[in-house]
Amino acid sequence: EVQLMESGGGLIQPGGSLRLSCAASGLVVSGTYMNWVRQAPGKGLEWVSLIYSGDNTYYVDSVKGRFTISRDHSKNTVFLQMNNLRAEDTAVYYCVGAVSFAYYFDYWGRGTLVTVSS
Amino acid sequence: EIVLTQSPATLSLSPGERATLSCRASQSVSSSLAWYQQKPGQPPRLLIFEASRRATGIPARFSGSGSGTDFTLTISSLEPEDFAVYYCQQRNWPPTFGGGTKVEIK
């Protein structure tokens, strides 16, 4: 059974930084398209970032230069370093694995809430 | 960026009825479209990918159709557990989601 467990969310002031973690079991992050997808409170879904083989990384324009996705093969964990956070980054952040096709999101964690507010 | 427009925003139906949800893309996405179901407090669940292929474990009452710019998710006979929000998503870069259709109990 695939499980993705996010952690690291919380309340942070504008301009601050947070590092989200996603611990995976039942899949190998180094062989999977690993994504972060976010959902602002009461709103829809927004893809944020992808990492896949060879440490290729992609970002939605609104987070480029502020967010960095990475992974630790030994810990089978994916990270999202979020810097210079803004109020509009407030959302539940889901760790998502795409196994069958890149950008079809097969496996979802339960999410971690990031609140950016003073 | 490809914009996906879902309609209607809300669909009020009774259990046993047929649900038809629409998703329109601002430009052709070929068959590169998926549907997800999300219940309150839960992450989304993949239902359909490549426009018409059911994901593992998804009941046959869920079906997808369409190509190009117009897509449909059909639930042939609504079960109580099907009342939820449904999102379409296209996988051309960057991947984008529609705004969602809420299927509520009438």
Side-chain angles (χ1 to χ4, degrees):
Chain A
E1 180 190 7
V2 174
Q3 288 193 330
L4 301 172
M5 182 71 70
E6 303 94 338
S7 60
L11 175 63
I12 187 75
Q13 291 189 340
S17 297
L18 277 178
R19 188 194 197 205
L20 306 184
S21 298
C22 170
S25 60
L27 65 75
V28 178
V29 298
S30 59
T32 304
Y33 296 92
M34 295 302 299
N35 300 265
W36 290 93
V37 174
R38 67 185 178 184
Q39 186 170 34
K43 302 297 184 182
L45 300 162
E46 180 182 39
W47 172 81
V48 174
S49 184
L50 161 70
I51 187 167
Y52 71 102
S53 62
D55 286 339
N56 296 288
T57 59
Y58 295 89
Y59 303 92
V60 69
D61 283 349
S62 59
V63 309
K64 279 181 184 175
R66 301 188 298 123
F67 290 12
T68 303
I69 190 171
S70 62
R71 57 190 174 186
D72 184 324
H73 304 283
S74 65
K75 296 180 180 178
N76 208 33
T77 298
V78 177
F79 304 98
L80 186 67
Q81 177 67 42
M82 304 186 297
N83 298 330
N84 192 20
L85 282 159
R86 306 167 180 169
E88 54 265 34
D89 295 318
T90 294
V92 173
Y93 284 74
Y94 295 103
C95 176
V96 186
V99 175
S100 307
F101 291 79
Y103 298 130
Y104 285 148
F105 304 120
D106 302 86
Y107 299 106
W108 296 68
R110 295 205 61 88
T112 186
L113 176 62
V114 172
T115 304
V116 184
S117 175
S118 55
Chain B
E1 173 178 308
I2 296 173
V3 176
L4 299 177
T5 302
Q6 292 188 241
S7 61
T10 303
L11 197 53
S12 299
L13 295 168
S14 300
E17 289 193 295
R18 183 185 189 88
T20 303
L21 288 66
S22 175
C23 178
R24 176 164 288 178
S26 60
Q27 63 189 78
S28 176
V29 299
S30 185
S31 295
S32 299
L33 190 108
W35 291 93
Y36 300 82
Q37 176 194 67
Q38 187 177 32
K39 298 178 182 179
Q42 296 185 18
R45 175 175 70 147
L46 177 65
L47 299 175
I48 301 286
F49 64 100
E50 286 296 278
S52 61
R53 297 174 63 179
R54 273 190 302 277
T56 302
I58 301 304
R61 65 181 181 273
F62 292 92
S63 63
S65 63
S67 66
T69 61
D70 291 302
F71 299 86
T72 300
L73 174 69
T74 301
I75 310 171
S76 59
S77 177
L78 283 164
E79 297 288 339
E81 61 268 27
D82 299 336
F83 291 92
V85 179
Y86 293 84
Y87 294 96
C88 59
Q89 175 246 327
Q90 63 81 25
R91 73 178 192 101
N92 297 291
W93 199 91
T96 53
F97 293 85
T101 291
K102 182 180 182 180
V103 179
E104 65 176 22
I105 299 176
K106 186 174 182 180

